[in-house]
Amino acid sequence: MEKLIGKDINELTSIAEQIGQKPFVAKQIAHWLYTKRIHSIDEMSNLSKQCRNKLSERYNIGLKAPIKVTVSNDGTKKYLFDVGIDTPEYIESVYIPDSDRATLCVSTQAGCRMGCKFCFTGGLGFHRNLTSSEILNQIFSIPESNTLTNIVYMGMGEPMDNIDNVLKSLSAMTSSWGCGWSGSRITVSTVGLIPGMKRFLSESDCHLAISLHNPFDDERLSIMPIQRAYPISKVLDSLDDNLFKHQRRLSFEYICFAGANDTIRHARELVRRLGKRHCRINLIKYHNDGTGEFIGSSQQQMEWLCNYLNDNGIRTTIRRSRGEDIMAACGMLVAKETKES
């Protein structure tokens, strides 16, 4: 059976016509899916019984609950989903409550093909792209769904490597026929896939985050293979050409590694490259499981780097580490579950 969650208004219009209904029924179906967030076609009470029966012959809502949840001492929750068909295939999302904000970090791929050396997801290899239905299911199927204030596409996978389904899911979240969210409530990250990034900037109004992690070309290449195809200098040039046609916030994600990207030399290069751009840098503590080659920077060194960048005109914050006791970094829970299953 096909899933209704993830369908856009054009697809829903086609479905309505296929079951002998007027086009306006598509908006009614969309309202039930994205505003009411129902779990059963039978709940669509303003559709006739005959219409619901015909719809149920070929479709279901498509929501699937997570198979596991782990809860951190700080309130962070990590949800594990099985998106496999014949055999188990796992993805994860992370719910982060923080005062008056409730953020969900969602995945866009099962695995990832970017191969960043510090990333647990990259170590799992690439399995497949998630459908728009599977992306939205992470948002709609958790208990906190109706209280979310923000969504970040920063979980497993590279969003710009699955741009069609990412844009389709964003459309469902932000369109008037869908959830009607402001794009300012959603941030999508990328390691710098320029073709997908250009489409994202022209076809959505959500915020953009660039995974930078090192300002020097050769050093970035040593940890992020994407640097070979899309050097950060070209990524920045593309942003200059495209970003400011579409007003939105730009941020750079920067995982801090002790001695490898947190020195005065790196700080000065960050100022040189980013100082004239209207952006912010989020410094991120590295989650180390004790088996990797990377060591996270000390809190003291991160605070020094944060102060240096702020003093030199780049708005910089240290992202508060959350969920370390439940392995909240991308891919860690999936790796554990895959090993045990």
Side-chain angles (χ1 to χ4, degrees), residues 210-216 220 232 236 252-256 261-277 279-283 304-306 308-310 312-314 316:
I210 306 293
S211 296
L212 178 57
H213 310 315
N214 201 301
F216 292 105
R220 190 171 189 261
I232 193 60
L236 294 175
F252 290 89
E253 307 297 301
Y254 199 86
I255 299 175
C256 294
N261 68 352
D262 63 353
T263 69
I264 184 63
R265 184 172 63 88
H266 295 91
R268 287 170 176 163
E269 184 66 7
L270 284 169
V271 171
R272 187 187 74 81
R273 287 205 157 185
L274 304 181
K276 295 181 180 180
R277 291 179 167 86
C279 65
R280 67 183 297 169
I281 296 177
N282 293 315
L283 302 181
W304 169 84
L305 180 58
C306 181
Y308 182 94
L309 295 172
N310 276 307
N312 283 274
I314 303 177
T316 304

Side-chain angles (χ1 to χ4, degrees), residues 121-331:
T121 302
L124 299 173
F126 176 74
H127 299 279
R128 65 177 177 86
N129 287 328
L130 298 185
T131 65
S132 59
S133 174
E134 290 166 333
I135 295 171
L136 292 172
N137 181 68
Q138 297 168 72
I139 301 168
F140 292 171
S141 68
I142 64 171
E144 300 84 5
S145 178
N146 288 318
T147 61
L148 295 175
T149 62
N150 298 84
I151 296 171
V152 291
Y153 285 56
M154 295 182 185
M156 296 176 65
E158 163 55 49
M160 304 307 169
D161 193 34
N162 185 19
I163 190 62
D164 289 337
N165 288 308
V166 165
L167 287 172
K168 195 173 178 183
S169 68
L170 291 175
S171 180
M173 288 303 302
T174 60
S175 295
S176 58
W177 52 262
C179 297
W181 274 35
S182 166
S184 64
R185 297 170 64 184
I186 303 174
T187 300
V188 179
S189 72
T190 179
V191 295
L193 270 70
I194 293 176
M197 197 171 68
K198 286 181 177 179
R199 281 193 59 194
F200 169 78
L201 290 172
S202 64
E203 298 178 35
S204 86
D205 60 355
C206 301
H207 291 317
L208 179 67
I210 306 293
S211 296
L212 178 57
H213 310 315
N214 201 301
F216 292 105
D217 289 337
D218 57 339
E219 294 179 21
R220 190 171 189 261
L221 177 60
S222 71
I223 60 172
M224 300 177 70
I226 193 64
Q227 173 73 15
R228 190 178 306 280
Y230 300 108
I232 193 60
S233 56
K234 289 188 177 180
V235 173
L236 294 175
D237 287 344
S238 179
L239 288 173
D240 292 340
D241 292 341
N242 293 277
L243 182 70
F244 299 109
K245 297 176 185 175
H246 316 278
Q247 293 296 318
R248 70 198 63 200
R249 186 178 66 230
L250 170 65
S251 59
F252 290 89
E253 307 297 301
Y254 199 86
I255 299 175
C256 294
F257 303 112
N261 68 352
D262 63 353
T263 69
I264 184 63
R265 184 172 63 88
H266 295 91
R268 287 170 176 163
E269 184 66 7
L270 284 169
V271 171
R272 187 187 74 81
R273 287 205 157 185
L274 304 181
K276 295 181 180 180
R277 291 179 167 86
H278 183 65
C279 65
R280 67 183 297 169
I281 296 177
N282 293 315
L283 302 181
I284 303 169
K285 183 178 180 181
Y286 178 60
H287 287 250
N288 187 359
D289 69 347
T291 63
E293 62 181 281
F294 298 96
I295 300 173
S297 302
S298 67
Q299 183 67 24
Q300 181 180 10
Q301 190 66 14
M302 290 180 68
E303 289 175 0
W304 169 84
L305 180 58
C306 181
N307 291 335
Y308 182 94
L309 295 172
N310 276 307
D311 289 345
N312 283 274
I314 303 177
R315 185 183 176 194
T316 304
T317 58
I318 298 175
R319 183 179 295 166
R320 187 158 66 95
S321 184
R322 302 293 299 268
E324 286 190 74
D325 56 321
I326 60 168
M327 300 185 297
C330 299

Side-chain angles (χ1 to χ4, degrees), residues 93-105:
S93 57
V94 181
Y95 168 74
I96 309 168
D98 188 8
S99 186
D100 60 344
R101 291 170 64 93
T103 301
L104 185 70
C105 179

Side-chain angles (χ1 to χ4, degrees), residues 17-46:
E17 292 173 347
Q18 289 170 18
I19 60 173
Q21 300 296 311
K22 299 290 186 181
F24 72 84
V25 171
K27 290 186 177 180
Q28 292 177 311
I29 296 173
H31 180 77
W32 287 110
L33 293 175
Y34 300 118
T35 302
K36 295 293 188 180
R37 302 193 185 184
I38 58 170
H39 287 71
S40 167
I41 290 173
D42 285 337
E43 295 178 65
M44 299 181 181
S45 56
N46 61 346

